Amino acid sequence: MARISINLSTGSLQKEEMIVGIDLGTTNSLVSIIHPDTKQPIALKEHNSSSIVPSIIYFDENNNVIVGEEARKFLELKPERTIFSAKRLMGKSYRDIKENADFFSYKIIDDDTESLVKVQIGNVFYSPIELSSFILKELKNRAEHILKTPVNKAVITVPAYFNDAQRQATRDAGKLAGLDVLRIVNEPTAASLAYGIGLNTNAESTPQTIAVYDLGGGTFDISILRIINGIVDVLSTNGDTYLGGDDFDKVIIDFWKRENNISDDTLHQDKSLYQSIRLKAEEAKKYLSSNESFETNLNSFQLRISKNEFDQLIEPLIERTITCSKNALKDAKLTQNDITTVVMVGGSTRIPLVKNRIGEFFNQIVNDSVNPDEVVALGAAIQADILAGNNKELLLLDITPLSLGIETAGGLMDVLIPRNSKVPTKASRQYTTQVDGQSGMRISVFQGERDLVNDNRKLATLNLTNIPGMPAGMPKVEVSFLINADGILTVAAKELRSGVEQQIEIKPQYGLTDETVEKMLMDSIHHAKDDIALRALTEARTEGEQLLKTTEKFLQKNSGALSKVELLDTANAMQALQLSITMDDKNLIQQKIEALNDLSRPYAERIMDEAISNAMKGKQI
Ligand code: ADP
Ligand code: MG
C-alpha cells in the first residue's frame, strides 16, 4: 500500500472555503459574502466606491474587455462595441428576441434560426454565456482582491421565471469565469432570505406568503412565494421584461426635450449630447427620490423637473406594474389580504411614489429596510453560507450518500468509506509523518467525490498530538472510520508504535438535500478530467517539495564535502525547482525534479562511499 503523508499540524493550515453570493443583474451586478466576524451579509466594495458593478461590457479595438462603471461611457460613444443587458439574451434564440432586436444597439447575429444568439463585435463573435462570464469574472476578481483569497465557488441568482436553458446558461457562464456554481437561486427567494424570511426551519413556524416586487433598471418582476419550514415555493410570477428605471429616465429626457425644444434629429446626430442628457436624467430621477425638485444647466439648456411633475409622468408606468401584480395574485389564486409581507427589491423601488402605490395596492406598509440594490446579492450570500454548512443542523444517514475520507498531502482526498456504503460500516488505513520529529498530525475529514478536498465538504478536524519524536516516515498512524447504525461517524487515529491515540465523534454540521448530493455527484463526473490533471500536478508538487526538503537536509550535513561548483549548481537547481512548484505545469516540475536528482546523485554517491570507507578505516581488522 502506498504511504501517504497527512498534512502537517504546523504550516499548511486547512483553508476555509469562501463561497460568494452573486446577483447577476440585467443592469447591475454585485458580489457579497457573510462577514466572517459579524456573520452578517455584506456586499463587497473597494474603498470609497460602490458595491454595484454595472452589467456593461466594452470591447476596445483590440478586443480587450472592460467591465462595469468604466464601460458605461462607451454606451453612447461606441454603442456597437458596448454590451448591456446581456442577461436578456441568456438561453435565447434569435427568434426569441426578434421582436425586441431594436432595443440592442450592438449587433446580434440574425440567422433567424432556432440556434442560440451570438453578438458580433468587429469580427469576433460572443455568446451570451461568454458575455455574462466577463461580468462574473470581474466580480470574482473584485472579491479576490478585497478578500485577498482565491474565490472559486458561488451561488448565483436568476429571475424566478428563468427556464432550464437560461439557468444552465448561467451555470455555464459561472464555469467559464472559473466559478463552481454550487446553486442557482431565484432572485425573489434570495430577497426574502435577506429579509430573514424562510430561515426558520422550525416545524412549527407559520407559513408565510410573500410578494416580492422587483423593479430594476430594465425589467419588472413580481413573484408570489409561499414559505413553509424554510422551503420556498414559487406560486406565481409575472412582470414586464421591458419596464424599469430606464423608462423613468426616458420620461425625464422626453420632458426636457419638450421644455427646451430639442428635436429627435439633434439628439440623433449629437450622441455625446444625448449621453449627457441621459446621465442628467438618471441623476435627476435619483435626486427626486429624496428631494422636491431638480435643476441644472447643460450647455445652453436649463434642465429642471419637480417631483410632482416626475410623479405624474411615471404614474402610467407604475400602473403597469400594478396590473402585473394583479395577474400574479390571480395566478396564485390569492388576494391582497393573503399576502403576509411585501418585499421591495431593485433600485427603482427607491422612488417614493412606487412604494406608496404598491403599499396602497397590497393594503399594507411595504418592507424596504434592506438596501434594494443589494438585497438579492445579500440573500445569495446567505444561501452560500447555508451551503457551506454554517447554518444547518445535524443529519443522520442510513447509507452514506457521499464518500468519506481524509485530506492527504497537497490537499488530496483519500477515501476511506466510499459512497453508498451501508451503515454500520468501518474502514481504516495507515499514514505516516512528513517531517523528522513531527509530534502532531492534523486529520481533516471530508465528504464528497472530488479528488481535491477543497471541492468537497469538510466535516471535522482531529488533532493527534504527543507523537514521540521519530524520523519522518517512521510513525505508523492508523486512521479508522466507524459509522454506527445511527449514522454517527467516529474517526479515530492511533500511532501504532507508541500507542498514542485520539478520537472524535462527528456530528455533521449540516444536512445535505438529495439535490445537493446529486449535484456533488454530477460535479465529480463533470470534473473527473480536471481532477486527474490536478491530482497529477499536486502529486508532482508534493514530490518536489519533499525533494527540496531532503536535499536541504543533506546539504546541511555535508556541505563541507561538496565543491563550490557543486554547491552553486545545486542551489540553482533547487531554486528552479522551487519556482516550478509555484507554476501550474506538472511536466516542468518533474523536469526540475529530475534535473536536481541528476545533479545530486553523483556527489551523494561519492559522499556515501567516503562515509563507508571512513567507517571501514576506523575498524580494527
Ligand atoms: P437590475 O436588477 O435590473 O440589474 P437594479 O436593481 O440595480 O437593476 O436597478 C437599477 C435601476 O435603479 C436603475 O435604473 C437606477 O437608475 C435605479 N435607481 C437606483 N437608485 C435609484 C434612486 N435613488 N431612485 C430612483 N431610481 C434609482
Ligand atoms: Mg435585480
Side-chain angles (χ1 to χ4, degrees):
M1 198 214 320
R3 269 213 203 144
I4 309 163
S5 321
I6 290 188
N7 260 15
L8 311 175
S9 55
T10 53
S12 59
L13 265 173
Q14 182 59 41
K15 205 170 62 230
E16 277 303 327
E17 63 179 350
M18 181 63 87
I19 309 178
V20 297
I22 291 178
D23 172 5
L24 182 61
T26 309
T27 315
N28 297 311
S29 299
L30 296 89
V31 55
S32 61
I33 58 156
I34 298 296
H35 193 285
D37 301 330
T38 65
K39 307 289 176 212
Q40 293 302 310
I42 49 160
L44 294 176
K45 57 177 169 189
E46 311 268 6
H47 279 299
N48 300 326
S49 76
S50 164
S51 57
I52 292 172
V53 176
S55 307
I56 305 172
I57 310 149
Y58 168 66
F59 296 89
D60 73 9
E61 305 297 331
N62 302 316
N63 284 315
N64 294 317
V65 186
I66 297 174
V67 174
E69 203 52 56
E70 287 276 280
R72 191 197 282 279
K73 60 173 174 285
F74 295 106
L75 277 177
E76 314 293 342
L77 301 178
K78 296 266 183 194
E80 71 289 348
R81 304 191 74 87
T82 311
I83 310 297
F84 60 93
S85 285
K87 186 175 177 180
R88 294 181 188 279
L89 304 175
M90 289 294 259
K92 295 278 173 93
S93 68
Y94 187 76
R95 197 163 280 168
D96 294 330
I97 56 140
K98 203 171 160 192
E99 243 173 74
N100 297 301
D102 279 353
F103 171 87
F104 305 94
S105 48
Y106 43 89
K107 189 162 179 194
I108 298 173
I109 301 308
D110 173 8
D111 55 5
D112 198 14
T113 63
E114 291 302 321
S115 64
L116 297 180
V117 293
K118 290 225 164 186
V119 165
Q120 184 176 3
I121 309 276
N123 46 18
V124 186
F125 298 87
Y126 296 98
S127 69
I129 294 175
E130 286 171 287
L131 296 172
S132 293
S133 83
F134 290 127
I135 297 168
L136 291 171
K137 216 174 280 167
E138 174 74 23
L139 295 171
K140 173 175 146 85
N141 288 343
R142 169 185 277 232
E144 288 180 334
H145 189 242
I146 295 168
L147 300 172
K148 300 192 168 50
T149 163
V151 169
N152 298 311
K153 296 182 178 187
V155 167
I156 303 180
T157 59
V158 297
Y161 60 78
F162 256 29
N163 62 25
D164 279 349
Q166 293 169 302
R167 284 165 199 263
Q168 189 54 45
T170 307
R171 253 178 209 287
D172 290 347
K175 210 173 291 164
L176 210 55
L179 289 169
D180 208 355
V181 181
L182 296 187
R183 188 161 295 184
I184 297 284
V185 179
N186 288 329
E187 286 161 13
T189 304
S192 45
L193 279 178
Y195 271 96
I197 307 165
L199 285 177
N200 189 354
T201 54
N202 203 320
E204 286 92 58
S205 64
T206 36
Q208 303 221 52
T209 311
I210 322 284
V212 181
Y213 180 98
D214 182 348
L215 192 56
T219 56
F220 167 64
D221 298 310
I222 173 89
S223 317
I224 312 289
L225 311 179
R226 181 114 177 120
I227 302 174
I228 307 174
N229 304 337
I231 296 164
V232 181
D233 216 0
V234 181
L235 298 185
S236 70
T237 64
N238 209 293
D240 188 330
T241 45
Y242 289 88
L243 175 59
D246 298 344
D247 299 287
F248 299 168
D249 301 346
K250 214 144 143 271
V251 296
I252 298 180
I253 297 171
D254 290 342
F255 178 77
W256 285 343
K257 270 164 66 182
R258 287 195 298 275
E259 286 228 316
N260 290 280
N261 283 320
I262 308 171
S263 72
D264 284 345
D265 270 358
T266 313
L267 288 186
H268 206 75
Q269 274 153 28
D270 192 344
K271 287 217 167 100
S272 75
L273 174 67
Y274 180 76
Q275 155 86 340
S276 312
I277 293 182
R278 197 179 61 81
L279 290 177
K280 287 287 177 212
E282 189 178 5
E283 189 188 324
K285 173 186 73 175
K286 291 184 180 172
Y287 188 77
L288 292 178
S289 286
S290 42
N291 297 276
E292 288 304 311
S293 71
F294 176 90
E295 198 166 337
T296 189
N297 287 318
L298 183 74
N299 304 340
S300 61
F301 305 117
Q302 208 209 0
L303 306 177
R304 51 149 293 275
I305 186 166
S306 73
K307 182 157 176 271
N308 278 337
E309 286 162 328
F310 176 63
D311 282 354
Q312 267 178 34
L313 292 169
I314 62 169
E315 170 82 47
L317 298 173
I318 299 178
E319 283 315 307
R320 276 165 62 192
T321 71
I322 302 266
T323 308
C324 295
S325 305
K326 277 183 191 155
N327 290 334
L329 281 174
K330 204 166 84 195
D331 289 348
K333 299 189 175 62
L334 297 173
T335 69
Q336 282 93 324
N337 297 335
D338 297 317
I339 303 296
T340 38
T341 309
V342 181
V343 169
M344 292 279 112
V345 179
S348 301
T349 60
R350 284 231 168 78
I351 298 170
L353 184 66
V354 171
K355 278 191 262 205
N356 293 341
R357 271 302 283 133
I358 302 317
E360 221 172 84
F361 173 72
F362 281 103
N363 217 357
Q364 58 187 291
I365 294 171
V366 298
N367 249 336
D368 65 349
S369 54
V370 181
N371 181 336
D373 303 313
E374 296 182 348
V375 61
V376 169
L378 299 179
I382 294 172
Q383 179 69 56
D385 198 46
I386 294 172
L387 289 177
N390 300 328
N391 229 326
K392 268 214 183 148
E393 317 177 25
L394 200 149
L395 168 85
L396 303 178
L397 327 148
D398 48 2
I399 62 157
T400 56
L402 293 164
S403 302
L404 294 161
I406 63 170
E407 173 179 10
T408 57
L412 294 176
M413 172 89 173
D414 197 30
V415 172
L416 274 92
I417 298 180
R419 72 186 199 89
N420 282 339
S421 301
K422 281 211 184 70
V423 298
T425 182
K426 61 180 177 183
S428 62
R429 196 165 294 167
Q430 280 183 24
Y431 301 88
T432 189
T433 51
Q434 245 180 349
V435 174
D436 288 347
Q438 185 179 333
S439 66
M441 233 188 211
R442 183 188 179 87
I443 296 157
S444 299
V445 182
F446 284 83
Q447 182 182 40
E449 308 310 308
R450 301 282 297 276
D451 270 356
L452 290 181
V453 293
N454 264 338
D455 297 324
N456 292 330
R457 271 149 214 266
K458 186 177 187 174
L459 296 178
T461 302
L462 173 67
N463 280 315
L464 181 62
T465 51
N466 297 324
I467 301 173
M470 280 181 253
M474 270 291 272
K476 279 189 180 170
V477 175
E478 186 172 79
V479 174
S480 45
F481 279 31
L482 171 74
I483 305 179
N484 71 11
D486 293 330
I488 302 285
L489 170 67
T490 305
V491 176
K494 182 175 185 178
E495 201 291 299
L496 298 176
R497 292 182 196 275
S498 59
V500 176
E501 66 186 312
Q502 193 60 251
Q503 77 171 44
I504 45 164
E505 209 176 70
I506 298 178
K507 300 176 189 82
Q509 303 145 0
Y510 54 87
L512 296 175
T513 61
D514 288 353
E515 196 190 327
T516 313
V517 170
E518 194 179 318
K519 159 97 185 71
M520 289 174 80
L521 292 177
M522 287 309 290
D523 277 359
S524 72
I525 296 165
H526 231 93
H527 289 282
K529 239 205 212 131
D530 302 357
D531 278 1
I532 289 167
L534 253 181
R535 185 178 268 272
L537 176 64
T538 310
E539 277 169 357
R541 281 196 180 129
T542 307
E543 192 186 336
E545 265 156 16
Q546 250 153 12
L547 179 62
L548 282 173
K549 232 179 266 170
T550 48
T551 311
E552 216 160 82
K553 213 153 67 175
F554 183 88
L555 289 181
Q556 267 166 18
K557 257 196 214 150
N558 303 298
S559 63
L562 267 62
S563 74
K564 258 203 181 117
V565 178
E566 280 169 336
L567 279 173
L568 202 66
D569 286 350
T570 309
N572 282 337
M574 285 174 76
Q575 205 170 25
L577 175 57
Q578 186 74 263
L579 188 68
S580 73
I581 288 172
T582 64
M583 289 183 277
D584 292 336
D585 184 347
K586 173 202 73 158
N587 292 334
L588 184 71
I589 300 173
Q590 271 161 353
Q591 201 187 320
K592 299 299 171 199
I593 288 173
E594 248 161 65
L596 180 56
N597 268 331
D598 287 350
L599 191 73
S600 58
R601 198 173 301 117
Y603 61 69
E605 277 167 8
R606 191 182 72 218
I607 289 167
M608 286 277 261
D609 288 349
E610 275 166 23
I612 290 167
S613 71
N614 276 341
M616 297 294 283
K617 262 185 221 153
K619 284 240 166 87
Q620 298 286 338
I621 303 170

